[in-house]
Each structure stands twice: as C-alpha cells, then as structure tokens.
C-alpha cells in the first residue's frame, strides 16, 4: 500500500484531539459500494459460464423483482447491450438479468472470496470487516440489490482488493504497509510478498480487464478517468448512501476504482467521495478526474512508458436481427438474456 489518505484528516501534533477525530475512514468506515461491486457479480457469472463477453442482454425500461421495480441510474428505453455493455455502462437491471442465475449462497460465497466481510490483514487499528448479511437473513430484494452493491457494506480497502485481484490475474494478495525493515547493522530486507489466493481464473481476469477498459472511454461511464497515452481499466459507482443518524438513505457515495497500465498493471487507485453536493453526483464525473490525476502522477513518477498501441474495443451493443454465432438460424434478439419473470 503506497498511499492511503482520508479527508477530513487529523493533526498528529495535536494532542488534544479525541479518538473520533483520528479515525482512518479508509479502513474503519463502511459504506454500500454500489456499482464497483458489480465486478464481483460479473466475475462469478463468467466463472460459472453464464455469460461471455458478447452475450446479448435485453435491458428493459423497468424490471420487477421481489415486489420492487428496479431501474438504471438514468431513464432509457429498451436497450440491447452485450454483457460487456452491461458492465461498461453500469446497468443495474442488466446485472440482475444475468446475475439471478447465481444461487444466493453462491453470490455470498463469491463476495467472501473477494474479501468482503473479512479483514484484509493490513494491520492498521480499527479495521472493519464490513456488513455482509448471510443468505438466511436476506429480504425478498436482497439478492438483487447485492448484485449491484447495495444492501451490503464494505470498506474502501476491501473494494481496493477486488480490483487488485483482477489486476493480479485473479490472485488476491493481502495488502501490506511495510516495504521492508533495516536491522541494527543497517542491512535492509524487503518484506516477503505472500503467495496469495487464486479467486478467479486468468481468463476471467483478462476478460474483465478488457471490458473495464471500455469504462474510461466515450462509450463508458467515466471518460474523465482516462489518461492520455495509457490504458486504464476501472469501474464507476454512484451508490445510495445510508445515513445511520437519520435512519434512512440520503445522498450518494461516488467512486471510481481501477488500475493501469491495463495490459501490465502497476498501480491500483481507488477514489470514494461521500455525499458530493456540487457539480454532479455520478462517480465518473466526481471521482473519475481525481483517479486520473493520481494515477497519472504515479505512472509518470515511476517512469512507466506510455502505450504504443490503442486500447482494445469490444461491442457494447448488439443488433437484435443479427444472426446468432452458433449457426442455429436464430437471431441475437431471440437468444438474448431477457426478463422472463420469476417463479
């Protein structure tokens, strides 16, 4: 962990501060992550073989599940998105449509594998495990909202590790704040990097990386997160924020998290802004530019060479009348994942 900063911060020289004023929000505070958690649902669906990058998904205007009417962040007519398009354009309903083939316990277990509901081993005091309810306690809507990161709470550190896992070819490595130690004789020894735990396959990590490169583009939700000359992979979120003092949702958490260079990751950067009230609320608009500045600084400072080729592009939409690639004679519109209702 090269840097970890929160605001408001504290003054280490002020011995009159109360402990509440010296909290580390990045490891102690929990919040509903929203759409950055869609990466977990997407990874689980890929690992189970439910979808591929260009799987067609018909996203409706509204989706009725669990007695609730779900919608996306912005109103839209019927949309024809690929699986890549659902993630790159952050569709809640599209996520539900492919994610509902995951059993409740499967979804819960995948979140645990990515580190939600567990400490990350950083060693800083006050680290929270987050709030990941067990399936037996879920309401009628829990499984659907958790697919897109609502109804579950995590720390910023936990969300960072989701993206670190994808950037590291699917292997989650515990974070550390100690680069090395020097003994009494002045000999420096680097800290041994743990072997880590494989969470998803290299193929799944590569697929998600390719898709997330579409997010920081004109076709995605965070063109402001792009960095000229470098390939960026990331995900936006604009999550409803629960205010415990008022006992209800009020305001949002806006975030952008990602890594670069996408084809050979060196850094993961995560930015979360609580209750933004100016300019906009969308994560791509609020947190995207901050991510871009921090990541650009890190890449340039470490002498990471710019890319010499353009980033990959994948179809984010599909034409319903186009023939399906399986040679069955059906069209993409006929084989698309769509709202079939629930039992």
């Amino acid at each position: 962990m090269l840097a970890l900063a929160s605001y408001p911060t504290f003054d280490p020289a002020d011995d009159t501060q109360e402990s509440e004023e010296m909290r580390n929000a990045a490891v102690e505070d929990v919040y509903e992550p929203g759409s950055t958690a869609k990466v977990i649902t997407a990874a689980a669906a890929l690992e189970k073989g439910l979808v591929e990058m260009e799987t067609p998904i018909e996203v409706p205007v509204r989706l009725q599940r669990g007695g609730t009417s779900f919608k996306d962040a912005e109103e839209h007519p019927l949309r024809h998105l690929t699986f890549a398009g659902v993630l790159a354009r952050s569709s809640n309903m599209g996520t539900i449509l492919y994610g509902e083939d995951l059993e409740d316990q499967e979804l819960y277990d995948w979140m645990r594998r990515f580190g939600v509901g567990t400490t990350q081993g950083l060693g800083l005091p006050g680290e929270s495990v987050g709030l990941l309810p067990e399936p037996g306690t879920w309401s009628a809507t829990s499984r659907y909202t958790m697919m897109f990161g609502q109804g579950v709470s995590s720390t910023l550190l936990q969300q960072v590790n989701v993206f670190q896992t994808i950037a590291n070819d699917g292997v989650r490595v515990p974070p550390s704040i100690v680069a090395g130690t020097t003994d009494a004789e002045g000999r420096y020894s680097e800290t041994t990097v743990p072997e880590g735990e494989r969470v998803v396959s290299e193929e799944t990590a590569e697929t998600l990386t390719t898709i997330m490169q579409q997010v920081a583009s004109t076709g995605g939700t965070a063109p402001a997160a792009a960095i000229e000359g470098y390939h960026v992979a990331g995900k936006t979120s604009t999550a409803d924020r629960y205010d415990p003092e008022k006992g209800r949702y009020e305001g949002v958490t806006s975030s952008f998290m990602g890594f670069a260079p996408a084809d050979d990751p060196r850094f993961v950067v995560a930015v979360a802004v609580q209750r933004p009230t100016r300019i906009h609320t969308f994560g791509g608009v609020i947190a995207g530019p901050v991510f871009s500045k921090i990541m650009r600084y890190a890449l340039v400072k470490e002498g990471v060479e710019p890319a010499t080729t353009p980033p990959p592009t994948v179809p984010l939409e599909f034409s319903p009348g186009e023939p399906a690639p399986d040679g069955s004679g059906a069209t993409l519109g006929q084989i698309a994942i769509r709202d079939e209702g629930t039992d």
Side-chain angles (χ1 to χ4, degrees):
M1 184 70 68
L2 299 180
L4 189 64
S6 300
Y7 180 86
T9 186
F10 66 93
D11 182 358
D14 182 0
D15 59 7
T16 66
Q17 294 174 105
E18 301 291 335
S19 59
E20 179 64 23
E21 299 173 300
M22 301 176 69
R23 300 174 68 259
N24 187 337
V27 299
E28 295 184 54
D29 287 1
V30 298
Y31 66 96
E32 296 186 40
S35 295
T36 53
K38 288 174 182 172
V39 175
I40 299 177
T41 309
L46 285 167
E47 286 285 296
K48 193 175 179 180
L50 300 177
V51 291
E52 297 177 353
M53 193 167 338
E54 296 187 28
T55 296
I57 302 176
E58 188 178 273
V59 182
V61 178
R62 287 286 190 281
L63 186 65
Q64 303 294 327
R65 292 290 187 273
T68 296
S69 178
F70 289 96
K71 65 182 183 66
D72 288 333
E74 294 184 300
E75 299 288 342
H76 61 73
L78 181 70
R79 303 177 76 180
H80 299 96
L81 301 178
T82 62
F83 168 70
V86 166
L87 186 60
R89 295 180 178 169
S90 204
S91 171
N92 295 340
M93 292 185 291
T95 301
I96 291 173
L97 286 172
Y98 74 74
E100 63 187 350
D101 282 335
L102 296 166
E103 300 292 336
D104 291 357
Q105 189 65 46
E106 285 181 303
L107 182 60
Y108 175 85
D109 289 344
W110 275 106
M111 290 192 172
R112 293 279 297 187
R113 288 176 198 170
F114 272 96
V116 179
T118 64
T119 56
Q120 305 302 293
L122 191 59
L124 294 176
E127 182 184 351
S128 172
V129 298
L131 298 170
L132 179 61
E134 295 188 359
T137 68
W138 291 3
S139 70
T141 59
S142 291
R143 71 183 312 262
Y144 304 112
T145 62
M146 290 175 69
M147 291 175 196
F148 55 84
Q150 300 275 183
V152 56
S153 294
S154 70
T155 63
L156 180 72
L157 182 61
Q158 288 174 343
Q159 290 299 300
V160 168
N161 269 15
V162 172
F163 289 83
Q164 176 270 327
T165 299
I166 303 303
N168 200 41
D169 293 330
V171 176
R172 183 163 70 91
V173 178
S176 172
I177 57 173
V178 179
T181 57
T182 302
D183 64 17
E185 303 299 324
R187 293 184 293 264
Y188 176 79
S189 300
E190 289 189 356
T191 299
T192 301
V193 178
E195 184 175 339
E197 176 185 358
R198 177 160 295 283
V199 178
V200 297
S201 66
E202 289 187 29
E203 181 181 4
T204 291
E206 182 179 352
T207 297
L208 289 173
T209 298
T210 299
I211 294 173
M212 288 194 291
Q213 288 183 72
Q214 317 308 308
V215 176
S217 71
T218 55
T221 54
I227 303 173
E228 186 177 358
Y230 295 95
H231 298 173
V232 170
K235 184 72 189 74
T236 57
S237 175
T238 308
D240 289 334
R241 185 182 188 279
Y242 185 77
D243 188 329
E245 294 182 0
K246 296 183 178 179
R248 58 183 170 83
Y249 284 95
E250 183 174 271
V252 300
T253 300
S254 301
S255 63
F256 185 92
M257 304 179 186
F259 49 89
D263 50 352
D264 186 16
R266 291 284 302 277
F267 303 103
V268 175
V269 171
V271 178
V273 181
Q274 300 291 351
R275 290 179 295 191
T277 58
R278 299 179 181 178
I279 304 175
H280 214 295
T281 58
F282 286 172
V285 178
I286 293 295
V290 183
F291 166 90
S292 179
K293 290 180 180 179
I294 295 173
M295 182 64 84
R296 180 187 293 110
Y297 171 83
L299 293 171
V300 173
K301 183 177 185 297
E302 292 301 311
V304 178
E305 294 291 331
T308 58
T309 58
T313 58
V314 297
L316 303 183
E317 300 178 351
F318 72 93
S319 174
E322 184 178 339
D326 58 6
S328 63
T331 64
L332 291 178
Q334 292 172 326
I335 68 168
I337 297 174
R338 59 168 52 85
D339 181 14
E340 303 289 355
T342 57
D343 295 333

